[in-house]
Amino acid sequence: MRATKARDAGLAAVRGLALAGMSLIGSITLFALAVTSIALIPVGVGVFTTPALLELIRSHANQRRLLAAKWTGTRIPVVRRPLPLHPRSGTAGQVERCTVLVKDPATWRDIRWLLVDMTVGAVTALLPLSLLSEGLFGILLLLGLWKPIVRAGGGYWYEFVRVDSWTTAAFAALVGICWIAAGLRFGPALIRVHFTITGSALAPTREAELGERIERLTETRHDAVDSSAAELRRIERDLHDGAQARLVAMGMNLSTIEALIEKDPAQAKKMLSMARESSAEALTELRDLVRGIHPPVLAERGLGDAVRALALRLPVTTEVEVDMAGRAEAPVESAAYFAVSEVLTNAVKHAGADRIWADIHHAEGMLRISVTDDGRGGASAGKGSGLSGIERRLGTFDGVLAVNSPVGGPTMVTMEIPCALSSPKTSSF
């Protein structure tokens, strides 16, 4: 029991030191740069620098969200307005991008959090290490450290004890033991307090969250309608240019075969072979088209097995872990499947990864999916990439996407969709 407490306290001290470093270095630097850049918007310079800085702040905040979930199980929601996309280029213009980011309430929550993080957040993060180190220093005084200190300065105050003899050094050691006991008892709790403060600064109020969610759902509804219309046009185009054209050609060949079957049996036999090949190709195209709309394995076996089947077809070693006690609704499964598919495709095409890990689990009414690769990093959801489309797809179901991808890697893409699971159904594969 004591060993476990000591280990937890030591781990809290190390984590607190890391958090304090991020707070005192990252948050202070980003806050100063962001305030300066926003102030330069009226003169035009800030229009070009502000979006990039705000994206860095978002990544910094998302990193803290990931650590909160990983270290303490604290979930800090993300509610942000999606960036508008140009219908041709697929990216937002610089001025439009800057305007949307500056008007987004989430941006000002992030900046407010930077101010909190560099002050109260840094203090709470440093406390676990400070308690233990202060206690150890008190014990070191009893071990003889007080002599050179007193010899150099004439006297030394350790907390409220003036150390100038072995007796006062013993009192200092007792105070130090109390500090160590406090560190062992309250160190892990202080890390949770740090993330609680982070959550209170980053998370919107209930009223603001509902208002932003309504606005976001309205926007994503329009996106869903547009996406559905584009998908229907794609299906019509694929049918017209692919399977339909082959079936028409096959029908014409059959008519020709009817005319040649008595006059030129050899030519008729050759055309029958061509018709057979056309029918096989048309069937293959139809199967590929149906698989692109809704993979059969997804309908039969659910999200976990569908992602496993997807991973088997990738040229990169991919590990998939699934922890789901049932199945989500079909639209949610479909959105999650295609989101994971696109993330995996991006990792293979652009990240140069040697290994990919996918984790799918359901807890507290949330479907959580994380995809991690050991590639080169540098991915962002705000550069008109496929990640922007994923964010909009998930937004239709009130889901969120967070990307942590420093240059040099690794990249972690986390997706969350609120949903309930039904009881698992048995089916054959």
Side-chain angles (χ1 to χ4, degrees), residues 19-85:
L19 291 171
M22 288 186 281
S23 300
L24 295 175
I25 298 176
S27 295
I28 291 178
T29 303
L30 289 174
F31 181 81
L33 292 175
V35 171
T36 303
S37 180
I38 292 174
L40 292 175
I41 288 179
V43 299
V45 177
V47 173
F48 299 96
T49 59
T50 299
L53 280 171
L54 294 182
E55 286 297 329
L56 285 176
I57 293 174
R58 285 189 173 190
S59 298
H60 185 53
N62 287 339
Q63 174 65 28
R64 197 63 58 90
R65 287 184 171 93
L66 291 174
L67 293 178
K70 182 179 179 180
W71 288 352
T72 65
T74 303
R75 179 182 175 271
I76 304 175
V78 182
V79 181
R80 288 173 177 154
R81 294 178 180 176
L83 292 174
L85 300 181

Side-chain angles (χ1 to χ4, degrees), residues 187-318:
L190 287 169
I191 298 298
R192 290 192 293 271
V193 169
H194 172 87
F195 287 120
T196 300
I197 294 172
T198 298
S200 64
L202 285 176
T205 62
R206 182 64 177 172
E207 294 76 10
E209 183 178 5
L210 288 175
E212 291 177 22
R213 182 172 296 178
I214 291 172
E215 183 177 354
R216 186 163 178 253
L217 288 175
T218 301
E219 294 176 353
T220 54
R221 182 187 63 186
H222 294 310
D223 292 336
V225 172
D226 293 340
S227 298
S228 298
E231 186 69 11
L232 285 175
R233 288 193 297 268
R234 182 189 69 82
I235 294 171
E236 291 174 354
R237 183 179 63 253
D238 290 347
L239 285 173
H240 182 272
D241 297 340
Q244 180 179 332
R246 294 189 183 279
L247 291 173
V248 170
M250 188 174 62
M252 296 174 63
N253 287 339
L254 290 174
S255 299
T256 304
I257 291 170
E258 288 179 350
L260 292 175
I261 196 167
E262 294 182 357
K263 298 179 180 180
D264 191 349
Q267 182 66 19
K269 185 177 180 180
K270 182 179 179 181
M271 295 190 68
L272 276 173
S273 178
M274 295 172 57
R276 187 184 303 110
E277 292 177 0
S278 295
S279 66
E281 292 175 355
L283 182 60
T284 300
E285 290 183 357
L286 286 173
R287 285 175 176 169
D288 292 340
L289 183 62
V290 170
R291 189 178 294 111
I293 299 172
H294 195 77
V297 67
L298 179 62
E300 295 173 4
R301 302 288 295 179
L303 179 62
D305 286 339
V307 173
R308 288 191 181 102
L310 183 64
L312 291 174
R313 298 196 297 268
L314 295 178
V316 176
T317 302
T318 304

Side-chain angles (χ1 to χ4, degrees), residues 315-395:
V316 176
T317 302
T318 304
E319 298 180 11
V320 180
E321 293 186 6
V322 181
D323 182 13
M324 295 178 64
R327 294 188 57 174
E329 296 181 353
V332 174
E333 281 193 337
S334 180
Y337 172 82
F338 285 108
V340 173
S341 176
E342 188 156 357
V343 172
L344 292 175
T345 301
N346 287 342
V348 172
K349 282 186 175 181
H350 308 298
D354 296 320
R355 201 172 190 87
I356 303 174
W357 298 267
D359 178 77
I360 304 172
H361 69 278
H362 185 273
E364 301 176 355
M366 299 292 295
L367 174 61
R368 295 187 175 94
I369 304 171
S370 64
V371 179
T372 307
D373 67 71
D374 60 356
R376 63 176 63 95
S380 173
K383 296 181 179 179
S385 63
L387 294 175
S388 300
I390 296 174
E391 190 171 24
R392 290 173 176 269
R393 183 194 294 271
L394 297 180

